[in-house]
Amino acid sequence: MRRGAFVLWNLGFFDVERSLARRLQQNTHYPFQVQQPNVFVMEYYKDTLWKGALIFLLCVLGGVFYLKSEKVSQDYSGFFVYGILVGIWLLLSSMHKRHLVINHPRGCYQIYIKRRLWKEGPMHQIYVRLMAQMDAYGKCFYSLIINGHGLEVLALASLSDKYEHMEFLGRRIARKLKLNYFDYLDVSTHHVIRHRPPLERDETLQV
Amino acid sequence: MVSIKVTKQLVLTPSMGWGGMSWKDPFVTVTFPSKVIFTSASLLLLLVHMGIFGGDLYHFTVTQKFDLMSFHGTTVLLVSHVMSFYWALLGTFYTLEANDKVLRGFALTSLVMNFALFVGRFCLDYLTIEYREELY
């Protein structure tokens, strides 16, 4: 069970909804902490941090072994150079801690990267969504994500096939955090809307 | 049917939009939008590939030193061409979706130049196939 800023680095493949339910029992507003009533703060590192570090390490080791091995007519060291550069880039871009603040009294969400305000937006532009991916046999795998305008996608639970369980957990998270909840289908009766985009000035409303 | 004129003003939320971000922030935090990363990576690789292509042409036509051409790295080079074209394509899709005019120009330029360079690379490798080193 990961703590602190590494809370979103779940590596499990089986029973993701059960581990999410267990985390929700320990922290009702998972993954956020309650700073004041109706102000939720989360600090996290992006998961590309460990992926970039892994790619970098593998390419450095592979490159060292390749240089020691016998040479054939084609030179494959370019692949290892590529991998090292991609790994360094992924490490650099996810090195800084991100803080996501949901501020209900002010009616906005803010994301800070390295203590600088990156994006600030109104409450109707951040949401909890159940996302679905289909495999080759037509079976749906569902993931719970928190996404928003100008935000990086945060995966709370990935690739589970139990729809009702995931929907229950997703609606519960959205209820605790007081955000909109969207189903995997764009048009669906399972959406829960708590914040609506405001009407523009002088718009004629036909009733 | 009654038509109601809604004259309520737009709800003023605290500084919608960039919210006080300066232009230095993407460089300090090394966080750019995906479309910027893909387009600039494909443009960078385009320059590298153009350099290698120019060097190959120079060694093939002018100095006739065929062992200085890029025959030893053809596998890596072709994979790199494919990656660059793929990133240019992704960058084009993202900029078209976001309706960003300046970046869209760069992304489309990168896409067309990458494709043309890929065709040129393929033709060059096919025409110079008899000059490759043979191993028995």
Side-chain angles (χ1 to χ4, degrees), chain A:
Chain A
M1 195 87 65
R2 314 214 174 258
R3 306 275 156 110
F6 303 104
V7 100
L8 288 177
W9 287 13
N10 327 330
L11 292 173
F13 290 114
F14 304 109
D15 287 343
V16 283
E17 63 271 347
R18 246 181 249 167
S19 65
L20 180 61
R22 220 174 328 132
R23 285 173 213 229
L24 276 173
Q25 270 181 347
Q26 292 180 346
N27 176 13
T28 11
H29 297 92
Y30 177 85
F32 290 83
Q33 312 288 329
V34 183
Q35 225 180 41
Q36 299 155 34
N38 282 338
V39 175
F40 306 115
V41 180
M42 171 170 68
E43 60 176 29
Y44 65 98
Y45 286 108
K46 258 174 93 169
D47 62 341
T48 47
L49 190 63
W50 65 266
K51 288 175 188 164
L54 191 68
I55 291 175
F56 178 71
L57 219 62
L58 282 179
C59 287
V60 163
L61 288 175
V64 165
F65 280 127
Y66 179 74
L67 284 177
K68 292 257 165 56
S69 67
E70 282 182 13
K71 294 289 162 42
V72 291
S73 71
Q74 281 287 308
D75 190 13
Y76 294 116
S77 57
F79 288 129
F80 298 109
V81 173
Y82 245 103
I84 286 176
L85 290 175
V86 166
I88 287 180
W89 175 258
L90 286 177
L91 265 181
L92 278 184
S93 71
S94 40
M95 194 172 60
H96 300 298
K97 218 183 238 193
R98 281 120 167 97
H99 295 255
L100 180 57
V101 177
I102 298 183
N103 201 335
H104 279 286
R106 276 183 79 185
C108 70
Y109 68 91
Q110 290 157 332
I111 182 164
Y112 295 87
I113 303 180
K114 205 195 174 189
R115 311 259 168 212
R116 281 163 195 256
L117 179 63
W118 186 250
K119 176 83 174 127
E120 181 175 350
M123 206 49 95
H124 64 268
Q125 279 180 350
I126 184 174
Y127 55 89
V128 178
R129 183 166 191 162
L130 189 70
M131 201 178 69
Q133 290 163 302
M134 214 179 282
D135 73 345
Y137 298 107
K139 192 171 167 197
C140 262
F141 288 93
Y142 306 100
S143 318
L144 271 177
I145 58 170
I146 292 183
N147 200 356
H149 187 248
L151 290 182
E152 302 150 341
V153 175
L154 300 172
L156 300 172
S158 42
L159 300 176
S160 153
D161 51 351
K162 302 192 176 66
Y163 176 69
E164 291 85 13
H165 207 155
M166 292 289 270
E167 189 192 2
F168 174 74
L169 289 171
R171 287 167 83 127
R172 190 216 150 131
I173 291 175
R175 191 172 65 239
K176 290 288 178 188
L177 297 174
K178 301 196 184 72
L179 297 175
N180 294 342
Y181 167 80
F182 292 110
D183 200 21
Y184 71 99
L185 292 168
D186 286 341
V187 180
S188 155
T189 51
H190 294 254
H191 297 326
V192 180
I193 311 286
R194 294 188 174 87
H195 308 274
R196 297 177 65 201
L199 287 173
E200 303 229 325
R201 198 188 170 162
D202 286 353
E203 197 174 80
T204 335
L205 184 68
Q206 303 267 329
V207 175

Side-chain angles (χ1 to χ4, degrees), chain B residues 22-101:
Chain B
S22 72
W23 61 270
K24 285 183 287 203
D25 283 339
F27 292 98
V28 170
T29 58
V30 197
T31 308
F32 298 93
S34 299
K35 50 191 187 203
V36 173
I37 295 180
F38 286 133
T39 310
S40 34
S42 71
L43 282 173
L44 197 70
L45 283 177
L46 179 77
L47 289 177
V48 171
H49 293 157
M50 274 209 293
I52 298 178
F53 188 70
D56 272 354
L57 270 182
Y58 176 71
H59 284 304
F60 186 61
T61 52
V62 176
T63 54
Q64 308 265 324
K65 284 190 195 157
F66 304 115
D67 49 344
L68 291 175
M69 289 175 69
S70 71
F71 291 137
H72 283 289
T74 303
T75 317
V76 178
L77 193 59
L78 287 178
V79 170
S80 174
H81 268 281
V82 170
M83 292 295 297
S84 165
F85 182 69
Y86 176 61
W87 285 339
L89 202 62
L90 278 183
T92 316
F93 287 153
Y94 286 155
T95 53
L96 283 178
E97 193 180 78
N99 264 335
D100 189 346
K101 294 233 166 36

